[in-house]
Amino acid sequence: MKIGDKVRFLSDTGGGFIAGIKGKIVLVEDEDGFQIPTPINEIVIVDDSATDRAKMRIDQHQRGMEDGKDNRSIKQRLSTSSVDDEGNEDWRNVDTDITLDDDPSLNFEAPVKERVGGDELSLYLAFVPHDTKALSTSNFKSYLINDSNYYVHFSYLIKAEDKWNLKAVGELEPNMKLLIENFTLADLNDMLHGCIQLHAYKRDKTFELKPTCDIQVNIDAVKFYKLNTFRDNLFFDEPALIYTLVENDKLKENQMVEALRVKDEAISKASLTSLNTSNHSEDVKIEEKAKKLANPYKSKSPRLAKQMLNDDKIVIDLHADKLLETTTGMSSSDILEYQLDTFRRIIEQYKSQKGKKIIFIHGKGEGVLRHALIHELNYKYKHFSYQDASFREYGYGATQVTIK
């Protein structure tokens, strides 16, 4: 890819010629002469058109000369030797040593355009299917969206057991979206627990300081199998599943970050209190608040999953009322995630006991929990076998897992 190549946009209509390249950003000059800064992975070469472009400029110049106009660039005029009426060499000869690389139009970086209301930080993680009519076989794209006037330096990580893998790192320009990766449903199981670390800033101007964020996101795999999950939105022409990371300077769906912030405040206040030998009771309340936020399910009074023994089989009831004393304030996705966490804990507890049979009672209902369990077994625990449990003993809403 070089200057002069003819390109078109991947995620938008139109295209033009490459007028400049700077790092991973290229300037695409359209037919009206406007130069559009575009990420290099958002364009594709249509043809190696440096020759066509030069020919186009010659044709324009010739047409201008026929009309009595000089359409040459300023650089061309300055570098042209001429003699005035008195026989003196034109002063413009001083610039005849200018080379093509000195052209100021090359590698030009257009100033960032800011929009009204964009000084509040808003970032989103988006998933877009290639084919909404065939979700089970479709590929997907993940994007990071910056809906603000700030540059954002980010790192995107995926949890692997107790550690993390770096998936992507880079800079996201103001009011832009960036393609992170392409993936399939088979890859989804390794992407369920993500983390986006970011800090925001502006260039060549003063700005309001934004806090550095460390945002953990739990992806609901079940949603990728439902058509109504992917909805019309402001960022894409096609339906997308969008997770809010930060919106109008406020963190969303991120209780862990808030918990860490409150805990830090608690520690700071506790230290200050001990130095001043003041009342200790307020610090205890703050510390309790931090612990409560750090475990969002604690306020819901979770119960230990009741394990019953039936003919050498472990029986686990995953109904919400069996796991939680109350579900007040919890969304259906919160409840589902807690049920899946319980399922994973039980599997981890018995995974070394080969031949062990575990019965998970999930109920019939709409089948959401059952589908989520089957997905976990197919991708994360695929070396274990499973089948419907005995209808006579457990009804039509139970699955038997055998440890292999």
Side-chain angles (χ1 to χ4, degrees), residues 77-276:
R77 297 179 196 177
L78 290 175
S79 61
T80 301
S81 176
S82 61
V83 178
D84 61 17
D85 296 337
E86 297 179 359
N88 296 319
E89 192 173 7
D90 199 316
W91 61 271
R92 287 175 291 191
N93 277 337
V94 296
D95 290 324
T96 56
D97 60 340
I98 295 178
T99 64
L100 181 62
D101 293 336
D102 296 323
D103 191 336
S105 66
L106 300 181
N107 298 323
F108 171 75
E109 188 170 349
V112 173
K113 293 183 179 179
E114 296 192 344
R115 60 179 178 81
V116 176
D119 280 345
E120 290 186 338
L121 196 62
S122 294
L123 288 109
Y124 308 88
L125 179 63
F127 299 96
V128 181
H130 285 259
D131 185 2
T132 54
K133 296 180 180 179
L135 291 178
S136 60
T137 57
S138 175
N139 289 347
F140 296 82
K141 290 183 177 181
S142 61
Y143 290 85
L144 197 58
I145 302 169
N146 179 11
D147 191 25
S148 75
N149 294 334
Y150 282 77
Y151 285 87
V152 174
H153 191 275
F154 72 92
S155 57
Y156 179 38
L157 308 101
I158 298 297
K159 191 171 185 180
E161 296 182 352
D162 296 330
K163 297 184 179 180
W164 295 85
N165 287 327
L166 180 64
K167 202 73 172 177
V169 63
E171 183 182 65
L172 186 54
E173 294 188 3
N175 302 298
M176 295 281 284
K177 59 179 181 282
L178 181 66
L179 175 65
I180 301 298
E181 66 172 335
N182 289 278
F183 65 94
T184 66
L185 288 176
D187 304 318
L188 186 60
N189 192 65
D190 296 326
M191 302 168 51
L192 298 182
H193 304 288
C195 177
I196 294 93
Q197 298 175 326
L198 55 90
H199 71 274
Y201 51 90
K202 289 187 179 182
R203 292 180 175 175
D204 304 323
K205 61 176 64 179
T206 59
F207 57 90
E208 182 181 348
L209 187 64
K210 306 293 182 182
T212 300
C213 297
D214 184 280
I215 306 170
Q216 295 190 26
V217 182
N218 290 324
I219 305 300
D220 187 353
V222 179
K223 290 184 177 181
F224 285 77
Y225 293 88
K226 297 182 177 181
L227 181 58
N228 60 1
T229 291
F230 302 93
R231 300 178 180 177
D232 293 337
N233 57 89
L234 299 174
F235 306 111
F236 301 93
D237 294 331
E238 55 270 10
L241 168 60
I242 297 179
Y243 284 85
T244 301
L245 305 176
V246 183
E247 191 168 63
N248 298 329
D249 284 343
K250 296 180 181 178
L251 294 171
K252 294 292 185 71
E253 298 180 0
N254 186 35
Q255 298 179 17
M256 183 62 70
V257 171
E258 178 67 12
L260 293 174
R261 184 186 65 78
V262 173
K263 186 173 182 180
D264 287 342
E265 290 179 358
I267 294 172
S268 298
K269 290 188 178 181
S271 300
L272 183 62
T273 303
S274 62
L275 289 173
N276 296 330

Side-chain angles (χ1 to χ4, degrees), residues 320-336:
D321 60 338
K322 300 295 183 181
L323 301 177
L324 295 159
E325 290 184 2
T326 176
T327 57
T328 303
M330 295 179 71
S331 66
S332 56
S333 60
D334 291 335
I335 296 172
L336 176 62

Side-chain angles (χ1 to χ4, degrees), residues 306-320:
K306 190 174 181 180
Q307 303 182 20
M308 297 177 291
L309 190 63
N310 186 2
D311 294 333
D312 258 352
K313 299 175 183 176
I314 302 298
V315 182
I316 308 295
D317 195 334
L318 294 178
H319 283 93

